[in-house]
Amino acid sequence: MALFVFISGYLFKDEHIKDVKGYIAKKFKHLVIPYYIYNLIYGIIFTSLKKSNIISYGLDFSFESFFVCGWTHGHQFSFNLAMWFVLSLFCIQVIYILIRKATEHQRINPFALLIILLTIGVGSIIVHTKYPSEALLPLTRTLFLLPFFHLGYICKSQKEISNMDLRKAIYLLFSTTVIIAAIIILKKTGHFPFNYEYYAVHMRFNGLIILPYFVSILGIAFWFSFSKITENNIGNWTITKKISRSTWDIMAHHLFIF
């Protein structure tokens, strides 16, 4: 999930700050409205199957399950549970552009802002760990994921990163691969006592605070360097372009198809 937020931040443009209302309206149109259209369709399908006793899980169709649950856990109709990310991404984008607008004339160093957002994100983990609340989940989850959006913006806006040459990309890919392999081996042999897996949707971090950010950034670095190496080859394949134009639908429907 951190990688998906990072990619969205990578696509953020400074020109959006000039028209905050337009940006938010555009994101509402492209994220929130399609979400509720699909939520309605899957709610009807899910309810029909449930009343026919074909399935026995998930929530009944109601005002809360249709309008509210998408902002909290998003698992109300099961078949489209992967879409919980859509409303969270909308919240992230709204808060991010409001922060950028508020600090537009402050000339805050982007890396300093990243540190601030990471600090806030760590705070959100602590708060949710000590005071788990479904009502606060949309806020704490947004604050946790927000640094990854800004990290994506940094990697696009900093030319030395976005224009990374092949040699540096290979070195970064090799380095991250070695670290990831080492962590997995240490975990398998019992020398790494921490469970590095976490669930952003429910803000479950196994009691850890810093490690979720470490493994997420490590994974982002791996895929970022991989994409830099392959963008001139795989990136030009026809099938790659077709997939990239269908990511919304793949994300929305893949569980139901399975």
Side-chain angles (χ1 to χ4, degrees), residues 192-210:
F192 191 86
F194 308 109
N195 185 355
Y196 48 76
E197 297 179 352
Y198 68 86
Y199 299 91
V201 58
H202 298 298
M203 290 287 283
R204 294 175 184 169
F205 299 103
N206 303 302
L208 303 173
I209 298 175
I210 304 298

Side-chain angles (χ1 to χ4, degrees), residues 158-177:
Q158 301 297 313
K159 298 303 180 184
E160 61 271 20
I161 301 177
S162 61
N163 295 332
M164 181 185 299
D165 59 36
L166 182 61
R167 182 179 60 84
K168 291 181 179 179
I170 293 175
Y171 176 77
L172 180 60
L173 181 66
F174 175 78
S175 301
T176 53
T177 300

Side-chain angles (χ1 to χ4, degrees), residues 91-241:
C91 293
I92 292 166
Q93 291 172 327
V94 169
I95 292 181
Y96 183 76
I97 197 168
L98 291 177
I99 291 175
R100 290 294 306 275
K101 185 64 177 181
T103 59
E104 183 179 12
H105 304 295
Q106 306 302 320
R107 297 185 181 277
I108 297 179
N109 184 285
F111 292 98
L113 180 57
L114 178 62
I115 294 174
I116 293 173
L117 294 178
L118 283 170
T119 302
I120 295 174
V122 169
S124 72
I125 296 177
I126 296 173
V127 169
H128 188 81
T129 301
K130 291 187 176 182
Y131 310 102
S133 169
E134 190 172 277
L136 291 177
L137 190 56
L139 177 61
T140 53
R141 185 172 56 220
T142 297
L143 295 179
F144 165 69
L145 292 171
L146 193 58
F148 300 115
F149 192 90
H150 184 57
L151 181 62
Y153 168 78
I154 288 178
C155 288
K156 181 62 176 291
S157 59
Q158 301 297 313
K159 298 303 180 184
E160 61 271 20
I161 301 177
S162 61
N163 295 332
M164 181 185 299
D165 59 36
L166 182 61
R167 182 179 60 84
K168 291 181 179 179
I170 293 175
Y171 176 77
L172 180 60
L173 181 66
F174 175 78
S175 301
T176 53
T177 300
V178 170
I179 297 173
I180 291 171
I183 292 176
I184 293 174
I185 293 172
L186 291 173
K187 179 68 176 177
K188 293 292 184 180
T189 57
H191 294 89
F192 191 86
F194 308 109
N195 185 355
Y196 48 76
E197 297 179 352
Y198 68 86
Y199 299 91
V201 58
H202 298 298
M203 290 287 283
R204 294 175 184 169
F205 299 103
N206 303 302
L208 303 173
I209 298 175
I210 304 298
L211 191 60
Y213 278 114
F214 174 75
V215 295
S216 297
I217 294 175
L218 185 65
I220 288 171
F222 174 89
W223 287 112
F224 182 77
S225 56
F226 177 84
S227 66
K228 281 295 178 182
I229 294 171
T230 60
E231 63 182 348
N232 292 326
N233 296 307
I234 297 177
N236 291 321
W237 290 359
T238 301
I239 188 172
T240 304
K241 294 180 179 179

